[in-house]
Amino acid sequence: MYFPSLESIATRQVITLRGDCSVHEGARAMARYGVRNVVVLSGDGAYRILGAADLVALKTDGTPFDTPLASLDLPRVPTLPPDADVLQGIAHMGEGVGCLCLTDERGTLVGIVSRTDLLSGIDPQLLTESQALWELMAGTRFLQVAAGDPVRHVFARMRAGGHDAALVLQGEEPAGILTRGDTVRLLAEDASLDEPVSGVMSTPLHTVPESFTIQEALAFAREHGHKRIVVRRRDGSLLGVVTQKYLLALFYNRWIGWFQAQNEELLHAQRALRAERDRLALVAGALAEGLVVTDPGGCIERINPAAAALLGVDAGDLVGRPLAQLVPGLSHCVQECPGGPHHPRCPSGPLELRRADASCIRVHLRCRPLMEAGRYAGAVVFLDRAGDGPQASP
C-alpha cells in the first residue's frame, strides 16, 4: 500500500520565532499568518511549539504576555526526515502537539506537517465507505457553552476539559463555534475577555447529518476548510464533534488492523509452504535417483542423498555453493534450461562426470527449469547411474 511522503504534503514556509520573543509576539505572528501554532527555536537545538491551546492556558493562568518564550515550558515537536511517509507521521504524532517538524541530515528545519496535512495525504476510501457518523460518535466529548457566557469563562472551561473549540448555544439551538482561530485573534488583539462569546464566535455553524459517512464528512470538511466536523441528530440537536485527531486515530487503528490481518494470512501461507517443502524434502530424500535443485544464479539449494552419493560428496557441504565450481560437468545443464542465461532447450541424455575422488562416472540426466510468474527461478537436475561403476581417471 502506497503512502505519500511527508515532504510532498508539508508546509515549506515555517513560521519560527526566537526564544527571546514574547508570548504576545507569538500570538500576533499566528494571527498575521493565519496559523494555529508557531515553531520556537530553543537554545538546546530542539524545536518547540507555541499553539492556541498554550495561549489559552497562559491567559487563564494570568501569565503576562510579555513573558519571553524561552522561559516557558513549551512542548517539543517530534522530528522526522522529509522522506518519511504519512503512516510514519501519524504514528509519531500520536497524542502529541499536533504537528511534526521535518529536518534534513544536518538537522535543518525544512518543513512542518499538521494534522490537516496528514489528512490531505490519506485516501478517504482507506477510512471506510459505508459506516455512518452516528456509529462512531459513542464516547466522543465536546464542549457546549451558552451564547451569553463571557469569553474568559469559556476559555477556563476549554482549558479544564482539554478542548480546542466550544460550540455556542442560543437556548437549545446551536448558534456558532469558538475556534482556535478565534482564540488566536482575540489574544493577539488583546481583546476584552469579559465580552459574551456570541460576539466573537464564528458563524454560521456548518453541520452534517448523522447519516453522513466518514468519506462524505471528510469531503465536506475539506470543501469548507473546517478543522472539525459538527454532527447533528435527525431532530436537529447536536450529536458531537469529529476532530482531525479522531479521524487520524481511526485511520491508523484500521490500517494496523488490516496490516495484522494481512500478516496473519502471510504467516499462515508461510507455514503451509514450509510444510509442503518439508514433505517434498522427504520425497526427494527417498528417491533412488539423484536430485539437485539450483537457484536462478546457479547455486545449489537442495541435493538429495542419492545425488551426493553419485558425486561422492557430502550434501551438507554443497548447499549454497555454485554448482559450476563443484561439479563443472553439470553446470552447462543448468545454463541450457529454458529461461536460463544461454540456450532455450532442456538437455538430457548421458553425461560423464568427475567425482570428488577424481574418478569418473557416467550418468543419465534430465534438466528442467523452475519458473515463477513467467521468470526463470532455477533448475532441477535428475541424475541416474549408467554403466558398471566408476572408471579410473585417465
Side-chain angles (χ1 to χ4, degrees):
M1 187 177 297
Y2 170 76
F3 295 103
S5 68
L6 296 179
E7 183 178 28
S8 68
I9 62 172
T11 300
R12 293 291 192 159
Q13 301 298 322
V14 185
I15 309 303
T16 62
L17 293 175
R18 299 188 312 275
D20 58 358
C21 292
S22 68
V23 174
H24 200 191
E25 287 176 295
R28 285 197 299 241
M30 292 160 67
R32 182 184 313 120
Y33 294 104
V35 295
R36 304 297 177 261
N37 47 56
V38 290
V39 174
V40 179
L41 306 176
S42 58
D44 59 3
Y47 297 105
R48 301 183 183 276
I49 200 80
L50 175 72
D54 299 309
L55 296 180
V56 170
L58 293 169
K59 195 66 174 180
T60 54
D61 286 346
T63 303
F65 266 39
D66 59 359
T67 303
L69 295 174
S71 65
L72 303 176
D73 186 21
L74 297 175
R76 295 178 63 139
V77 185
T79 59
L80 282 175
D83 58 356
D85 63 33
V86 164
L87 191 66
Q88 292 172 294
I90 296 174
H92 278 75
M93 187 175 292
E95 294 293 322
V97 296
C99 61
L100 299 165
C101 283
L102 303 186
T103 56
D104 61 19
E105 61 277 2
R106 296 184 300 275
T108 303
L109 182 64
V110 296
I112 190 168
V113 176
S114 66
R115 288 195 177 101
T116 302
D117 298 324
L118 287 176
L119 278 174
S120 72
I122 295 175
D123 183 348
Q125 292 187 2
L126 295 178
L127 285 169
T128 185
E129 288 193 10
S130 58
Q131 194 167 20
L133 289 174
W134 67 267
E135 300 177 81
L136 306 169
M137 301 301 293
T140 58
R141 300 182 306 116
F142 62 102
L143 176 62
Q144 299 181 77
V145 299
D149 287 347
V151 174
R152 188 183 307 279
H153 177 64
V154 176
F155 276 2
R157 292 187 61 188
M158 288 172 64
R159 193 212 174 167
H163 301 284
D164 65 357
L167 295 176
V168 183
L169 303 182
Q170 188 73 53
E172 298 295 324
E173 286 296 313
I177 184 170
L178 185 72
T179 67
R180 288 184 298 173
D182 298 324
T183 298
V184 169
R185 175 176 50 81
L186 288 170
L187 296 177
E189 296 173 355
D190 201 18
S192 171
L193 303 186
D194 296 319
E195 297 296 322
V197 68
S198 59
V200 297
M201 66 185 181
S202 293
T203 57
L205 179 64
H206 294 134
T207 63
V208 299
E210 63 180 353
S211 59
F212 258 37
T213 65
I214 294 180
Q215 280 191 35
E216 291 172 324
L218 186 54
F220 177 88
R222 287 175 174 173
E223 178 184 352
H224 292 84
H226 293 331
K227 308 296 184 184
R228 60 195 60 77
I229 304 165
V230 182
V231 185
R232 281 180 180 265
R233 295 187 178 91
R234 292 180 181 176
D235 62 6
S237 62
L238 292 176
L239 175 61
V241 178
V242 181
T243 64
Q244 293 177 334
K245 180 191 293 188
Y246 179 82
L247 287 176
L248 287 173
L250 177 67
F251 164 77
Y252 186 73
N253 290 335
R254 288 192 173 174
W255 189 89
I256 290 297
W258 176 87
F259 178 79
Q260 289 174 341
Q262 295 294 310
N263 191 50
E264 283 297 321
E265 291 184 13
L266 178 60
L267 290 175
H268 178 75
Q270 289 175 336
R271 286 192 292 266
L273 182 60
R274 282 195 295 269
E276 181 66 12
R277 285 181 175 176
D278 291 342
R279 186 181 71 82
L280 292 177
L282 289 174
V283 173
L287 288 176
E289 64 180 341
L291 174 69
V292 181
V293 181
T294 72
D295 63 17
C299 292
I300 296 174
E301 285 190 341
R302 186 183 301 277
I303 179 169
N304 73 345
L310 280 175
L311 300 173
V313 294
D314 184 345
D317 294 338
L318 295 185
V319 175
R321 300 175 66 182
L323 181 63
Q325 292 180 8
L326 301 168
V327 193
L330 282 182
S331 62
H332 80 282
C333 302
V334 176
Q335 292 173 344
E336 291 177 359
C337 276
H342 295 304
H343 305 291
R345 61 186 179 85
C346 285
S348 62
L351 177 71
E352 186 172 281
L353 296 179
R354 187 177 298 274
R355 306 173 79 238
D357 61 3
S359 64
C360 293
I361 186 172
R362 290 186 63 79
V363 297
H364 285 289
L365 71 87
R366 300 188 311 281
C367 184
R368 294 292 182 269
L370 293 174
M371 308 297 290
E372 291 183 1
R375 295 185 177 183
Y376 178 69
V380 180
V381 180
F382 298 94
L383 301 172
D384 260 324
R385 181 73 172 269
D388 296 324
Q391 304 172 12
S393 176

